[in-house]
Amino acid sequence: MGLLIRGGEIVTAETRTHGDILIEGETIREIGPGLTAPVGTEVIDATGMLIFPGFIDPHVHIHLPFMATFAKDTHATASKAGLIGGTTTFIEMVCPSRNEDALEGYHTWKQKAEGNSACDYAFHMTVSRYDEKTESQLREIVADGTASFKIFLSYKNFFGVTDEEMFQTLKLAASLGVITTAHCENAELVGQLQQQLLVEGKIGSEWHEPSRPEGVEAEGTTRFATFLEQTGATGYVVHLSCAPALRAAIEAKLRGVKLYVESVLPHFLLNKTYAEQAGVEGMKYVMSPPLRHERNQPVLWHALQAGIIDTVGTDHCPFDTEQKLLGTKAFTQIPNGIPGLEDRVNLMYTYGVKRGGLDIHRFVDALSTKAAKIFGLYPRKGAIDVGSDADLVIYDPEYRGRISAKTQHTNNDYNGFEGVEIEGRPWVVTVRGKVQVRDGVFVGDPGRGQMLKRKPQYVRQTEEVRVMVHAD
Ligand SMILES: [Zn+2]
């Protein structure tokens, strides 16, 4: 049985048109005005609705052992929450720690997801150490369709890599044509500043930001870019949070370094005063990089509009109140992270497009199309085109509501955006042609999601090729 979506306004990264969309099987068959429905086709009247390509969250954590505990979501809960919020594909960080075997970790993450996700998904593979086994393991993982790496310059002795290991990882990534994503903070400085603050008796969540100031992130960004430049690898800065780090990234882009920039939902809308609240209220807002001084927010919004920030993810990582309280005696023990997967699209639409003047095409681009292009999913994902997967978000721009932990689907007992108004929400969401969300409610197949296999797409031109092109 097919699906005909009639009368909506189709909004992509480039165009805005009225038209019908005919879906046959898992893909889009035809787009145009006045399409007729073959017998047995379900017709959805989308008059007054916007139709977006399914949104892609390029940075989430679902299965995550971290700081002596686990993030709260499962693939079942996170994927439903994502779909209700309009996200039809997420890319999850596989994060084995330094003392775990990388390949075993990869299979653990794959098994957790398989058959348990309602939306499609892919992985970034964290390289948390580099030893004699690493190259062959990473080659195997890339051959399995996971064509992006992740490195942490922070979290020394846990996920973090040394400069030597970063160099080896990027050399291999360059030769494989794989993109490397990076958490850019200087681990040594963070460690020293944390110890100094604790010795001074500064143990509350308000000291988290001072322990990893803006300059520490700018240094990490600069160093990552320099290593990309010297290895010829392509990179992607995750969750860039502040103006000094953004300047470092722009400097690198201007030098021709192949570098993309992601910022995440919390940094556009929240500032460090949230983490300065007393007790557990402040702890709920501890994440890394930390929430910043509010002067950074207009800079992030302008850079997003200008396309200097390429993508908007979430770094979705829910820990509940009880887990946050592990850090009562020292801010360094507070599990880092905040949920966001369910709310990214509605909040960026409301505070970007509706109230902030963000161009609606840039919104679609940053939350879907650009991520698909950077990570090798385009045009299967991130597009409304004939032949693309029928992942569609039929969006009701007239909806009015408020975010609340009481009504959310993410498995957590709080929401960092509690009480915040939203103007618009997904009304119907499809995953490869199947209606998974109707009238804002999950109605679909909880195991529909598939792992998306991706190919390396940053394979370097050889010297010979360059000479030939030049001779032309
Ligand atoms: Zn992350």
Side-chain angles (χ1 to χ4, degrees):
M1 195 185 84
L3 195 61
L4 179 69
I5 298 166
R6 183 170 276 164
E9 193 175 357
I10 304 166
V11 183
T12 69
E14 295 90 25
T15 59
R16 185 168 188 157
T17 50
H18 283 274
D20 303 343
I21 301 172
L22 180 65
I23 296 161
E24 220 177 66
E26 299 196 341
T27 56
I28 296 172
R29 172 73 188 269
E30 203 178 347
I31 304 166
L35 299 183
T36 49
V39 177
T41 301
E42 184 194 344
V43 179
I44 294 178
D45 181 2
T47 307
M49 302 285 174
L50 303 173
I51 305 175
F52 298 122
F55 292 97
I56 299 169
D57 191 334
H59 183 171
V60 304
H61 299 272
I62 296 168
H63 172 62
L64 183 68
F66 186 55
M67 296 172 93
T69 187
F70 288 87
K72 291 297 289 183
D73 264 324
T74 61
H75 289 82
T77 58
S79 62
K80 283 182 203 162
L83 281 171
I84 287 165
T87 293
T88 55
T89 296
F90 55 71
I91 312 183
E92 182 184 5
M93 300 287 176
V94 173
C95 285
S97 73
R98 233 179 133 72
N99 49 28
E100 282 175 272
D101 183 78
L103 198 54
E104 276 175 30
Y106 180 67
H107 289 301
T108 301
W109 259 262
K110 264 182 79 172
Q111 279 161 14
K112 295 267 178 199
E114 198 170 348
N116 295 319
S117 180
C119 68
D120 285 349
Y121 57 93
F123 297 110
H124 300 300
M125 181 65 208
T126 298
V127 182
S128 47
R129 68 163 189 270
Y130 204 104
D131 59 25
E132 65 287 346
K133 284 201 288 186
T134 303
E135 178 173 342
S136 65
Q137 291 192 333
L138 291 176
R139 283 182 183 277
E140 191 174 332
I141 289 164
V142 171
D144 189 51
T146 292
S148 47
F149 298 155
K150 165 79 180 283
I151 53 172
F152 289 88
L153 278 62
S154 58
Y155 303 120
K156 195 178 178 182
N157 302 327
F158 192 62
F159 297 131
V161 287
T162 63
D163 281 359
E164 183 185 351
E165 290 168 319
M166 168 158 62
F167 185 78
Q168 290 167 316
T169 304
L170 294 178
K171 286 263 283 187
L172 179 65
S175 75
L176 294 174
V178 163
I179 188 168
T180 302
T181 69
H183 178 135
C184 298
E185 290 180 300
N186 185 306
E188 193 58 48
L189 277 171
V190 171
Q192 294 295 336
L193 292 173
Q194 284 179 335
Q195 290 318 309
Q196 199 174 304
L197 288 162
L198 292 178
V199 164
E200 291 166 11
K202 295 169 175 169
I203 60 167
S205 60
E206 71 273 31
W207 299 105
H208 177 68
E209 200 277 342
S211 77
R212 18 194 8 128
E214 294 176 10
V216 164
E217 187 186 345
E219 191 281 339
T221 308
T222 300
R223 186 154 38 95
F224 177 52
T226 306
F227 276 64
L228 291 172
E229 198 169 14
Q230 298 306 324
T231 55
T234 301
Y236 176 100
V237 176
V238 295
H239 52 41
L240 183 139
S241 74
C242 61
L246 183 64
R247 284 196 195 96
I250 293 168
E251 270 298 317
K253 287 191 185 212
L254 294 179
R255 293 202 306 276
V257 179
K258 288 171 280 178
L259 178 68
Y260 297 101
V261 176
E262 168 199 274
S263 291
V264 293
L265 176 67
H267 292 112
F268 286 97
L269 296 172
L270 304 171
N271 60 53
K272 72 189 181 95
T273 62
Y274 286 84
E276 289 167 354
Q277 298 174 85
V280 77
E281 284 311 306
M283 296 180 191
K284 290 175 180 175
Y285 293 93
V286 167
M287 65 199 78
S288 297
L291 293 174
R292 299 300 190 187
H293 189 281
E294 64 182 0
R295 68 172 169 267
N296 290 287
Q297 279 172 356
V299 177
L300 295 186
W301 282 107
H302 294 150
L304 175 62
Q305 172 66 55
I308 297 166
I309 290 173
D310 295 281
T311 61
V312 177
T314 57
D315 200 7
H316 177 80
C317 193
F319 292 103
D320 68 11
T321 308
E322 196 187 331
Q323 292 173 313
K324 289 284 183 180
L325 286 168
L326 291 169
T328 303
K329 292 202 174 71
F331 68 87
T332 52
Q333 302 302 313
I334 304 169
N336 284 206
I338 188 170
L341 176 58
E342 187 170 354
D343 302 314
R344 177 184 64 134
V345 171
N346 293 334
L347 286 170
M348 293 305 287
Y349 180 77
T350 303
Y351 295 94
V353 177
K354 287 294 280 286
R355 299 192 190 176
L358 176 66
D359 176 72
I360 197 166
H361 303 293
R362 184 76 261 277
F363 160 79
V364 175
D365 191 41
L367 275 72
S368 176
T369 310
K370 193 71 182 276
K373 288 178 176 171
I374 292 171
F375 294 114
L377 295 168
Y378 188 85
R380 180 176 176 192
K381 305 291 190 189
I384 301 181
D385 277 325
V386 172
S388 292
D389 278 2
D391 294 356
L392 298 171
V393 175
I394 307 179
Y395 200 78
D396 178 4
E398 301 304 321
Y399 177 84
R400 297 292 180 270
R402 280 177 196 279
I403 289 173
S404 173
K406 290 194 188 72
T407 51
Q408 74 184 358
H409 303 85
T410 300
N411 184 29
N412 207 14
D413 62 358
Y414 79 93
N415 186 307
F417 301 97
E418 185 70 34
V420 173
E421 286 177 28
I422 50 169
E423 298 185 2
R425 72 158 182 183
W427 176 59
V428 171
V429 180
T430 66
V431 174
R432 284 177 282 105
K434 180 163 178 29
V435 173
Q436 292 284 73
V437 171
R438 214 183 273 274
D439 206 13
V441 177
F442 183 80
V443 295
D445 170 2
R448 180 152 185 84
Q450 289 179 352
M451 178 181 158
L452 302 169
K453 305 251 176 180
R454 301 174 292 128
K455 286 197 170 70
Q457 53 173 27
Y458 297 93
V459 179
R460 275 185 297 177
Q461 289 185 342
T462 63
E463 286 303 321
E464 291 77 4
V465 172
R466 244 180 272 155
V467 169
M468 277 169 57
V469 170
H470 195 72
D472 281 344

